[in-house]
Amino acid sequence: MTMKIFIPRESTAVSLGAHDVAQAFTHYASHHDIDLKIIRNGSRGLFWLEPMIEIETAQGRMAYGPVASSDVESIMADITDNICHEKPPCHTLALGLTEEIGYLKKQTRLTFARAGIIDPVSLDDYLALDGFKGLQKSLALSTQEIVTAVVESGLRGRGGAAFPTGIKWQTVRDAVAEQKYIVCNADEGDSGTFADKLVMECDPFMLIEGIIIAGLAVGANQGYIYLRSEYPIADEILQQAIKIANEAGYLGDNICGSGKSFNLEVRLGAEAYICGEETALLESLEGKRGMVRFKPPLPALEGLFGKPTIVNNVLSLAAIPFIMSQGSQAYQQYGTNRSRGTLPFQLAGNVKQGGLIELPFGSSLQDLIDDFSGGTASDRPIKAIQVGGPLGAYLPLNKLDIPLDYEAFSQASAVLGHGGIVVFDDSVDMLEQARFSMEFCVVESCGKCTPCRIGSTRGVEVIDRIKNNERRAENMTLLNDLCDTMIDGSLCAMGSMTPIPVRSAYNDFPQDFYLPTQESNHD
């Protein structure tokens, strides 16, 4: 009987030695005459356990992790001595049945239901778990019926702006043009985020299916995935998946015999954070320098090459197959208020158990930290948590009861963004974090508008003067005024949102701006 072992090919697992582990299992099997099949699956998103390997058994998959190549011999002994005889595993790295691991069991996985289970480039695996079911249903619907289903699902853009996805689709559908485009924003650049990467590396056909459905909904026959070049494994897997989808008739001319066509290409970005902003992305996609465009016109009306264009984030498009296959109500039943469905949160920073956590909107940040983080890696108390990437607020402990939904975060002058959560222990200096926020804007600003380009540079200088105790009170006033100018005058979110982490730092952690030095005037 063939023994099946699953070893991730996702980038985190690979960076921690997954390829070496796979080679060690192959070597062991060949020298011990064991009929072994190694399947390179995606990751489950439990990064502190990577490389996490799984053994197929009659009861389900048994997991071990984190596994090094030096562990292979003892794990194989545990498998042959215990698991193969239906006895519980005894190895110190044994985790039991994968589906019973608490970190997974406490989640509600809609978008990531297949992640870590399937071989990401196996079309058979994808089809066996409802793959392309949403596309098949969509092909039988009118364009308006598809758009209406997305509107009724309550899906909002998962890239950070949270604009209703269905409304954007309706605008593009209603635009009159011979050519329309679908652009997938895969330029995931927020610190501590990796959900887009996991989608592309673990379940790429789901993203492809979502993009095709978007094309059907608005009458577009060409799509692009704008992928950051720092994701080479995602690029490799996407290229394989697109080739397979073309050969199987899910892309190209006459999709599934429907007479409809859709083509899809991957284009690599050039490591610029600003190209996560949709108009800068479109400029880059057209071969120009990635700079923000004035609005209006909106990209939905004049986007790529001046044509009506849907620009959606990876997670937004990845949610579409579930909505179309299971129905808008099946998605809409999750969540709270106007935040419907689930959001894949990405837990990183100073924690023991970093990874991906997909939950319905509405849980509190405190519950998420308590249930999943395992505490700080340093074993020191938590001081601050930044949610929503580098432009998100630093939240103190007394604000961790905020529900994880767009409205609650907005009311707290914070942003949920792409779902990135970065934890800091009590050794962090929030004045330095505020300075980092301004410095980040200095480096990543496209330079088109003065409040962002010059304001961030002056911001670093002002914070340095506060740090050096130079006319501290006056410079605090100046910093506040500078934040107002950036918010009111910047052309895009890069400049207008940089003050959010800066202000949260000095409003919620004033001791780091005023203590321990005393006010003095060096002039």
Side-chain angles (χ1 to χ4, degrees):
M1 183 177 177
T2 302
M3 179 186 297
K4 288 185 180 179
I5 294 183
F6 298 80
I7 303 174
R9 59 177 295 191
E10 177 269 342
S11 57
T12 302
V14 169
S15 70
L16 293 168
H19 286 341
D20 292 338
V21 172
Q23 289 178 357
F25 272 109
T26 301
H27 181 78
Y28 185 93
S30 65
H31 281 74
H32 293 79
D33 198 24
I34 295 174
D35 184 8
L36 175 65
K37 181 179 181 180
I38 294 176
I39 299 165
R40 302 305 301 271
N41 60 329
S43 170
R44 302 269 190 166
L46 286 62
F47 290 150
W48 79 100
L49 295 175
E50 294 291 4
M52 187 177 85
I53 69 158
E54 299 173 71
I55 319 299
E56 187 174 75
T57 76
Q59 293 75 39
R61 294 188 195 174
M62 292 282 187
Y64 293 82
V67 175
S69 54
S70 58
D71 300 317
V72 168
E73 184 171 349
S74 58
I75 288 175
M76 284 302 297
D78 192 45
I79 293 170
T80 54
D81 293 346
N82 296 311
I83 291 179
C84 289
H85 298 285
E86 299 186 358
K87 298 178 183 176
C90 297
H91 198 280
T92 55
L93 298 180
L95 302 168
L97 288 168
T98 308
E99 299 297 337
E100 295 299 318
I101 295 174
Y103 202 89
L104 282 174
K105 200 171 182 180
K106 289 183 283 190
Q107 299 189 37
T108 302
R109 289 199 164 189
L110 306 182
T111 300
F112 283 87
R114 284 178 290 264
I117 296 175
I118 62 172
D119 173 350
V121 291
S122 168
L123 186 58
D124 289 340
D125 282 6
Y126 186 65
L127 292 172
L129 295 176
D130 292 336
F132 286 117
K133 187 176 174 182
L135 175 61
Q136 296 288 358
K137 286 191 174 181
S138 298
L139 285 168
L141 300 176
S142 69
T143 59
Q144 184 57 60
E145 286 173 325
I146 300 172
V147 172
T148 299
V150 176
V151 170
E152 291 178 348
S153 73
L155 177 66
R156 295 166 67 178
R158 300 293 192 246
F163 188 81
T165 303
I167 300 301
K168 182 181 286 187
W169 286 28
Q170 186 72 62
T171 303
V172 177
R173 179 196 173 276
D174 294 344
V176 178
E178 293 183 358
Q179 179 67 58
K180 300 176 183 178
Y181 295 105
I182 309 298
V183 174
C184 173
N185 184 349
D187 195 48
E188 184 176 51
D190 282 353
S191 50
T193 61
F194 42 79
D196 290 358
K197 176 178 69 66
L198 276 179
V199 166
M200 294 182 284
E201 294 183 355
C202 303
D203 200 358
F205 290 119
M206 174 177 61
L207 177 60
I208 292 169
E209 183 180 358
I211 295 172
I212 298 170
I213 294 172
L216 294 176
V218 303
N221 63 5
Q222 178 66 51
Y224 296 97
I225 299 174
Y226 185 88
L227 176 66
R228 65 194 324 242
S229 60
E230 297 95 325
Y231 285 175
I233 294 178
D235 182 29
E236 177 187 341
I237 290 175
L238 279 173
Q239 299 287 3
Q240 290 180 42
I242 289 172
K243 182 173 183 293
I244 292 168
N246 268 301
E247 292 171 349
Y250 292 101
L251 282 171
D253 297 331
N254 195 24
I255 297 169
C256 300
S258 66
K260 299 174 180 176
S261 301
F262 193 84
N263 296 292
L264 182 61
E265 300 175 32
V266 176
R267 297 291 175 86
L268 295 181
E271 305 180 12
Y273 180 81
I274 195 62
C275 288
E277 197 281 334
E278 61 178 359
T279 62
L281 183 158
L282 293 173
E283 288 286 296
S284 176
L285 201 52
E286 292 179 1
K288 306 169 189 171
R289 177 180 173 184
M291 295 189 76
V292 174
R293 294 177 181 174
F294 291 103
K295 295 179 188 176
L298 297 172
L301 298 174
E302 293 185 31
L304 186 64
F305 303 116
K307 304 298 183 184
T309 303
I310 285 178
V311 183
N312 277 154
N313 172 263
V314 168
L315 294 180
S316 307
L317 291 163
I320 298 300
F322 178 91
I323 292 169
M324 297 311 298
S325 65
Q326 305 300 314
S328 56
Q329 290 304 310
Y331 191 78
Q332 205 268 350
Q333 68 175 312
Y334 297 101
T336 182
N337 300 320
R338 291 179 54 240
S339 302
R340 311 309 307 178
T342 61
L343 183 62
F345 298 98
Q346 301 125 81
L347 184 58
N350 195 335
V351 291
K352 287 187 172 71
Q353 299 179 167
L356 182 117
I357 303 153
E358 184 174 356
L359 295 173
F361 289 99
S363 302
S364 76
L365 180 57
Q366 183 71 63
D367 287 344
L368 186 149
I369 295 297
D370 291 344
D371 290 346
F372 294 96
S373 73
T376 61
S378 61
D379 287 323
R380 297 176 66 93
I382 293 174
K383 178 174 179 177
I385 298 178
Q386 187 176 35
V387 180
L391 307 182
Y394 294 104
L395 300 172
L397 294 180
N398 62 7
K399 291 186 177 179
L400 301 191
D401 60 345
I402 299 175
L404 291 162
D405 71 66
Y406 296 122
E407 287 72 32
F409 266 66
S410 178
Q411 289 173 4
S413 300
V415 293
L416 200 52
H418 187 50
I421 299 172
V422 180
V423 176
F424 299 84
D425 73 12
D426 65 350
S427 65
V428 67
D429 183 336
M430 299 311 296
L431 184 146
E432 290 293 342
Q433 290 304 120
R435 187 187 189 281
F436 166 78
S437 299
M438 283 292 188
E439 189 177 27
F440 182 80
C441 189
V442 172
V443 173
E444 299 293 349
S445 171
C446 75
K448 188 161 185 171
C449 70
T450 304
C452 178
R453 183 183 71 250
I454 303 300
S456 55
T457 299
R458 297 288 90 84
V460 171
E461 295 168 354
V462 171
I463 293 174
D464 280 344
R465 289 200 292 271
I466 295 169
K467 178 181 177 182
N468 295 329
N469 204 15
E470 298 176 26
R471 296 184 298 174
R472 178 167 285 165
E474 292 178 32
N475 278 303
M476 282 301 302
T477 301
L478 182 58
L479 180 60
N480 198 44
D481 290 346
L482 184 60
C483 286
D484 283 339
T485 301
M486 293 179 70
I487 291 170
D488 295 336
S490 295
L491 192 55
C492 77
M494 180 81 235
S496 65
M497 291 180 65
T498 291
I500 292 177
V502 175
R503 280 187 158 161
S504 67
Y506 64 70
N507 284 332
D508 289 318
F509 306 93
Q511 68 277 12
D512 286 6
F513 284 76
Y514 299 109
L515 299 173
T517 57
Q518 298 296 316
E519 190 71 39
S520 64
N521 190 332
H522 294 276
D523 289 343

